[in-house]
Structure formats: structure tokens, C-alpha cells
Amino acid sequence: MTQSVIDNETQEKLDAFIKQEEGDSNDYKGMLAKFITLVAVGMSLFHLYAAYSIVPTQQLRVIHVALVLFLVFLSFPIAARFKNRLMWWDILFAIGSVFVAYYILNGGDDLFDRNTAPNSSDVMVGVFLIALILESVRRTNGMVLVVVTSLFLLYALFGNYLPAPWTHKGYDLDRLVGYMYMTLEGIYGTAVDVSATLIILFTIFGAFLQFTGAGKFFIDFSFAAMGGKSSGVGRTIVLSSFLLGGPSGSGVATTVTVGSVAAPMLDKVGYEKNAAGGLLAAGGLGAIISPPVLGAAAFLIADFLKISYLDVLLMATIPTILFYLGLLVMVEIDVRKYGMKNIHFQAAESAWQLTKKYWFHFFSLISIVVFMMFGFSPVMSVFWATVVSALSSMMRRDTAIIPWDWFQGKEKIFSGLYNSNLTKALASGSTGVLAIAVTCAGAGLIVGTVTLTGLGLKFSSIVIQYAGGSLLLTAIFTGLVVWVVGLAVPVTASYIICAVIAAPALINLGVPEFAAHMFIFYYAVLSEVSPPTALSPFAAAAICKGNPYKTTLQTWKYVAPAILVPFMFVLDKSGVSLLLMGSTAALEQADWMQIAWVSFTAVVGIICLAGGLQGWFIEKTKTFERIIMVIAGVALAYPSTEADLIGFVGFGLVLVTQSMRHFKLNPRSS
């Protein structure tokens, strides 16, 4: 049932958007392709082994970066004209990456002990490593992040020439290079640690779900469960985006996968092209904030705050529900706004029939959380969830990670394993993490600079000074900083940069540390729908044949109700109830009535904003009704008794006027 209806020209555009997010890798054939596949498989197996066994932290991080750089230089061309051609410099860079790892590991503790006074060889190797990382970032993410990273490094070297309050004592090249790679604070710091222990394991897990057919099942199930009514297509997009996005954590991939199936149906029920694309992109964006995987930055939150990943999932639960609730309300309003017809989409199989066949895919989706609730660490949870996904896939021939024919002796051992979904999943797990991993390594240079120079404290004091000590203005300025940074760099890099330079401003004004980091995470995610890096809306526009910029504006409209949610958990202490108090331990002593009340006001606020932004509610809204609903929505997003009162009065007033107009226009319904 779920077959793509995209023409070749559109598919090329979509491939370009995916490559822009994940990097435009080479497409080799023959022995070279097999070699890279085997290296990628070996990398995945090494990290799975490291999850189960004990590999010293220093060794794991160094080997992880070496393997990532090795694959990046073999897989990504130095320029478009060299694509699919392995050049001598690519081989040189790849070998150089391995040499750097050998140099560090061979140096042992002595190397790390002399980080404040490195010798000439140390400095040369360090400069070479930094150059390799910047080049790998350029190949996978483009020049913008390279320029941003380089500016931070220049600040560390020449910050003593800047005026107050930006000035610092300045650091020479030897001290900077030593700090960046001869300690666990710079390149091999938190970001790379998370990449080597969590992100790659979740990427492998997502690849296992993909190659066992879980993605197709989630879309089929969503269409079967939600089809049949005019709003069914919109609901299907919301549900399938959540189910598909949860394990993938990729906005563009989710948008393209769901859109390739749903776009024609959106057109048939009456969606305008740009609105259809906006809904698809908004659903894809939800993938980055949806448990159990969220985006890669969510793993960094756990490491920055020294909390369990289960606590991060807990904090994300209500905001994620509110995000998708906003989409569902928008979808229901769309039915009236566009005068949609009831067009029934007959599924090949019912939701129950699909569930009876492929029920184990649901268990694979929630198994991570189940393992964590039983006390397993996040690393061990995703390890065993991957094992469960592989074993359960063998229950059916069409989902088997290793083909049944191999066990029956109908395929040769090597060809059977090499061509199996197991090999493809292991290889995809490593290749899929390359762009994120080099971003983490590059971000390590930024974090190292901020830590070394004290830039984070300087920046936070400047923000607070400009805001006049106002928490509201500080939150707005912080949101704008995250948004501006997010225009140019991916979510992971945006979060890391802003977590070290912007979060301290909120924390210094009394915002709980976990709330400040979640605030930055959500705005880093929302910046993904802003040009020039609005990849999901641009991909959705290509699918729906709409205008990319109009589609981006429509995406903003669909996600707008969720934009105010982060303000709810930073402006008032009661707002952290939306984050379920930040941890399982705090939740045990939480005031559940307060959590319920804040969540309820957030729900009503989102409904108000949805109606105000759509221009429709029960009926088409008058101008004054739209203004009142937007004001009411904003008021309900501010956690205080007075604001809640204003919000409920405004919502009630519009509800009365809308109901009266509805009964007047539809006397039979009364």
C-alpha cells in the first residue's frame, strides 16, 4: 500500500536535501564499496562490543574519532567534481587520521600529562588533527560550521586584543593545541564521548528498525488506523511521523518517507500545496523531539547535566505531547478551513491484521524505555534493544535481518551474510553517524575554547546586562541567539554552542539547569524550519510541488503553538511541571495537581494559538476573535494565576461568539 509516487526529478531534489543534511557521500562500486562497507560494519561491531564490554574512555574516544575521520575521507569527496573518485589526498587524509590515533594511544598517560607544555611533535600532530576535523566538517556539513569553529579558535588565540568585556589573557598555539587534543576537555570531550557511546548505538538501532521493515509497518499501520475521514490523512501524518520519527531522530528523512506516500492524498482531500508541505515538514520536525531517540542533542543534555537518559525522555514527554496536540488541532481546523471532503483510503490490511503480523515492531520501539525502567544504563538499554530487534525480526521471512535461506543452506555463507539486512544495518549504523560525529568533534573545539577562555560567563553577563536583569527578556534574547545560531549550523552543533555560551544566562537568573538546557534544545530544533537551513520544509515543498519559502511559512504556522511551550518552563518555577520536575527522583515528591494544572493550561493555550493562527476555529474567525485567541494563548503560556485568568476569559469569550455563529449558520445542528 505504501508505495512512493514521486517522479525521478523530484526524487533527485529530495536526495539532494537528504545529502545536505547527512552529507553528499560517494557511491562507489566493486571492491572499494565492499571495503568501505566492511570498515563500517567493523566500526559498528566495535561500538557494540564497547557497549557490552569495558573499553577505557580515552581509548574509545580516540578510536571513535579515528574511525569516523577514516570513513569520512574515503566516503565524502573534497569537491563535487571529484565525486565517486577516490583521490590520493583522500587516502592520505584517511591514513593520517589513523596515524594521529596511533600517536595519541602510543603516547599514553605521558602525552596527556604534558598537555600544558607539549613538545614540537605534539603541536604538529595536534595542528594536523584540528585541520583534519575542520576539513571533515566542511565535507559533511559545509563551510558555515567551519567558519564558526575557526572564529572560536581565533578568539582563543587573539582574544587579548579585543575590548572589554570580550577580552581575555590570550593563549599561544602550543597551549591551545595541547588543551584541545591532549585532554578530555576539547576534541575528545563531552560531545565526542556522547557520539561514541550513545549516538552511534542509537543510529545502529534505528538502522536495524529500518532494515527489518519497521518504518514501512509504522506508515502502513498509521494509514490503516487513521484513514476513512477527511481529517484522517492529516491524523495519519501526525501519527506516522511520531512512530517513524521516534526511532530515526531525523526530520528530513521522516518528512520524505511520510510525504512520498501521503502527498497525493493530501492533495485529494483539498490541502493547498504549501499547507500540505508545511504539515509534512512539521510532522518531520517532531521526529527530533520524539522519544525514545529524540535528536542527537538529547544525548548531550544527559551528559552535560550528568543525569540519566531516562530523565531526558521524561522531560521530553509532555512537551512532545503538546507539540503533536498542536498539530492535531491544526489538522482538525484544516478540515473546516479547506472544506475537505470525506475520501476513504482503503488500506490493504486493517490495523489489527497488521498488528497481528508485525506486533514485535512496537516492542522494538519501546524496548529501550522498558530496559531503562528495569535499571539498565542507556548504553546497555539500546544495546539489548538492538539485539531484541534483530532476534524478533527473525519471526517472519519478510522481516528477517538474516535471510532464512542462509540457514537452510540455499545461500553461501559469505554472500548470504554480506547481502543480508544485518550487514546493511551495521554498515548504515556507522555511515549514518558520520556527519553527526564530525559535528561533535568540531563542536569539541568550540566547547574547549569557551571553557579555556571563560567566554560562557562573559556572554551570559552581557545578555543579562542587556536584558536589565529581566528573566523574560533574557529568555527572549537567549531564544533569538539559539535561533540565529541554528540558521547556520545543524541542531547538534547549535545546541552545543548555545549550551556553553547562552545557558549560563538563564541559570544565573534562577532557571533550573535542566529547564535551561531543554529550552535551548527545543529552540535549536525549531530553528531547523528557518531558511537557509530549512531542509524539511524545502523537501516537503519538492514533494508537494509548492513554493519552498511559502511552505516554510506554513510550517511555522503549524509548529507555532509549540513555540511558546519552552517559555512555560523557564519563566516560572511552576512551569518545570511540564518537564515532570526534571527527574524520576523529583517526580516522586512532585505536586501532581500542579503538574496537571500547568499541563491543562498549556493544552488550552495551544488550542487558542492554533485557532488564532489558522483563522478558523468552529467557524471562520473574525479579526477581533483572532487577536483575542492569540493573546489568550500567549497568556496561558505564562504560568501565573493572573495570566491564566486572562487566557481563560479570552478563550471563553471566543468560544461563545463562535458557537453562536455556528448555530446561526447551521440551525439544524442545534
Side-chain angles (χ1 to χ4, degrees):
M1 182 191 76
T2 55
Q3 294 182 344
S4 175
V5 291
I6 295 176
D7 56 60
N8 291 333
E9 183 180 352
T10 303
Q11 187 62 53
E12 289 178 4
K13 290 182 181 178
L14 297 178
D15 290 341
F17 286 123
I18 294 174
K19 288 173 181 175
Q20 193 172 340
E21 182 181 56
E22 300 178 357
D24 188 7
S25 60
N26 293 311
D27 184 20
Y28 293 128
K29 306 294 182 185
M31 290 302 296
L32 184 55
K34 291 182 178 179
F35 173 73
I36 292 176
T37 297
L38 291 176
V39 173
V41 169
M43 178 176 170
S44 290
L45 291 174
F46 167 73
H47 283 87
L48 289 170
Y49 166 78
Y52 188 78
S53 186
I54 297 176
V55 176
T57 299
Q58 180 181 326
Q59 294 179 18
L60 177 60
R61 298 183 193 183
V62 171
I63 293 172
H64 175 71
V65 171
L67 287 171
V68 166
L69 293 177
F70 183 83
L71 283 173
V72 164
F73 289 121
L74 293 184
S75 303
F76 295 83
I78 196 170
R81 66 178 181 274
F82 296 109
K83 189 177 179 184
N84 299 330
R85 294 162 58 193
L86 183 64
M87 308 304 294
W88 62 267
W89 50 75
D90 297 324
I91 299 173
L92 184 63
F93 289 156
I95 294 174
S97 303
V98 176
F99 167 75
V100 170
Y102 169 77
Y103 183 87
I104 295 172
L105 295 177
N106 189 56
D109 292 337
D110 290 341
L111 179 81
F112 276 66
D113 289 341
R114 61 176 184 266
N115 69 82
T116 56
N119 60 40
S120 57
S121 298
D122 297 335
V123 175
M124 289 176 59
V125 171
V127 170
F128 182 53
L129 174 60
I130 292 172
L132 288 176
I133 289 173
L134 291 176
E135 171 59 12
S136 65
V137 168
R138 186 193 67 81
R139 292 191 184 198
T140 55
N141 292 281
M143 273 302 297
V144 175
L145 186 53
V146 174
V147 172
V148 171
T149 307
S150 300
L151 288 174
F152 273 89
L153 293 174
L154 290 173
Y155 175 75
L157 291 171
F158 305 109
N160 54 314
Y161 295 108
L162 294 176
W166 300 102
T167 188
H168 62 83
K169 68 177 185 178
Y171 295 89
D172 59 27
L173 183 63
D174 291 8
R175 179 73 177 95
L176 178 64
V177 170
Y179 187 81
M180 287 302 176
Y181 93 104
M182 297 168 69
T183 70
L184 297 180
E185 301 295 331
I187 294 169
Y188 299 113
T190 295
V192 162
D193 179 52
V194 173
S195 174
T197 56
L198 277 175
I199 296 176
I200 187 169
L201 293 177
F202 274 88
T203 307
I204 294 169
F205 172 67
F208 269 71
L209 290 183
Q210 175 190 347
F211 284 98
T212 56
K216 181 180 183 301
F217 163 71
F218 291 145
I219 295 179
D220 286 345
F221 176 83
S222 300
F223 274 83
M226 293 291 184
K229 292 185 178 180
S230 50
S231 60
V233 178
R235 291 174 184 166
T236 298
I237 289 170
V238 176
L239 178 60
S240 58
S241 295
F242 171 73
L243 291 175
L244 191 64
S248 79
S250 170
V252 176
T254 302
T255 299
V256 170
T257 304
V258 175
S260 63
V261 178
M265 300 179 185
L266 288 168
D267 182 57
K268 286 181 182 179
V269 297
Y271 267 93
E272 186 265 332
K273 291 180 179 179
N274 297 311
L279 178 58
L280 285 171
L285 186 69
I288 313 178
I289 61 171
S290 297
V293 178
L294 291 89
F299 307 117
L300 292 162
I301 294 176
D303 209 79
F304 270 122
L305 299 179
K306 305 303 177 188
I307 60 176
S308 74
Y309 187 64
L310 185 59
D311 286 337
V312 178
L313 293 182
L314 189 74
M315 289 191 286
T317 300
I318 293 180
T320 301
I321 292 171
L322 293 175
F323 179 86
Y324 282 105
L325 173 68
L327 284 186
L328 283 172
V329 173
M330 288 290 205
V331 164
E332 297 299 328
I333 293 175
D334 280 340
V335 175
R336 298 180 177 87
K337 183 174 182 178
Y338 295 110
M340 295 179 182
K341 304 172 183 177
N342 276 326
I343 300 177
H344 186 73
F345 298 100
Q346 184 64 46
E349 294 180 279
S350 68
W352 175 241
Q353 289 173 322
L354 286 168
T355 303
K356 284 195 296 183
K357 282 185 178 180
Y358 303 106
W359 60 270
F360 49 86
H361 286 318
F362 282 122
F363 183 70
S364 297
L365 188 63
I366 65 170
S367 57
I368 294 173
V369 178
V370 172
F371 281 122
M372 281 194 283
M373 291 179 69
F374 276 104
F376 287 78
S377 69
V379 170
M380 290 308 298
S381 295
V382 69
F383 173 84
W384 286 114
T386 304
V387 173
V388 167
S389 174
L391 293 177
S392 62
S393 74
M394 298 303 297
M395 296 173 65
R396 291 184 57 86
R397 179 183 289 273
D398 56 337
T399 63
I401 196 80
I402 301 175
W404 284 9
D405 290 344
W406 183 77
F407 294 99
Q408 297 168 353
K410 297 179 181 179
E411 286 189 71
K412 293 181 179 179
I413 294 178
F414 178 77
S415 61
L417 278 177
Y418 181 80
N419 296 316
S420 70
N421 285 331
L422 176 62
T423 299
K424 294 174 183 176
L426 289 170
S428 179
S430 286
T431 56
V433 83
L434 296 180
I436 297 174
V438 295
T439 299
C440 289
L445 295 170
I446 295 172
V447 174
T449 298
V450 172
T451 306
L452 191 63
T453 62
L455 178 61
L457 294 176
K458 292 184 177 70
F459 187 85
S460 66
S461 64
I462 292 169
V463 170
I464 293 172
Q465 183 180 346
Y466 275 111
S470 166
L471 179 56
L472 175 61
L473 286 178
T474 302
I476 292 173
F477 289 162
T478 303
L480 288 173
V481 168
V482 180
W483 179 69
V484 170
V485 172
L487 295 179
V489 299
V491 170
T492 306
S494 177
Y495 167 75
I496 293 172
I497 294 170
C498 295
V500 294
I501 68 169
L506 293 171
I507 295 168
N508 288 342
L509 289 177
V511 175
E513 196 174 3
F514 63 87
H517 279 263
M518 288 298 286
F519 179 90
I520 287 171
F521 171 62
Y522 274 94
Y523 275 101
V525 171
L526 290 171
S527 69
E528 280 287 281
V529 294
S530 300
T533 55
L535 299 182
S536 292
F538 282 23
I543 295 172
C544 299
K545 312 297 183 186
N547 179 284
Y549 294 98
K550 290 181 179 179
T551 299
T552 302
L553 290 175
Q554 289 290 327
T555 305
W556 268 104
K557 180 191 74 175
Y558 281 107
V559 303
I563 288 176
L564 291 179
V565 171
F567 280 93
M568 295 188 71
F569 51 74
V570 299
L571 294 182
D572 191 90
K573 290 183 179 178
S574 65
V576 298
S577 298
L578 287 179
L579 300 178
L580 295 176
M581 313 312 291
S583 70
T584 50
L587 194 59
E588 293 176 0
Q589 302 175 355
D591 183 348
W592 282 96
M593 289 300 294
Q594 184 184 64
I595 293 173
W597 176 253
V598 173
S599 301
F600 175 67
T601 59
V603 167
V604 179
I606 282 176
I607 293 172
C608 284
L609 281 174
L613 293 170
Q614 281 277 51
W616 279 77
F617 191 48
I618 301 172
E619 296 288 343
K620 186 175 182 179
T621 54
K622 303 284 187 181
T623 302
F624 81 92
E625 290 175 326
R626 294 190 69 176
I627 294 172
I628 290 174
M629 290 193 82
V630 170
I631 293 174
V634 172
L636 287 165
Y638 189 90
S640 77
T641 304
E642 295 79 7
D644 289 346
L645 183 62
I646 293 171
F648 281 118
V649 169
F651 178 63
L653 178 63
V654 174
L655 195 60
V656 170
T657 58
Q658 284 274 296
S659 299
M660 290 173 62
R661 191 177 309 120
H662 175 72
F663 291 135
K664 185 177 180 181
L665 295 173
N666 305 275
R668 292 182 181 179
S669 64
S670 60

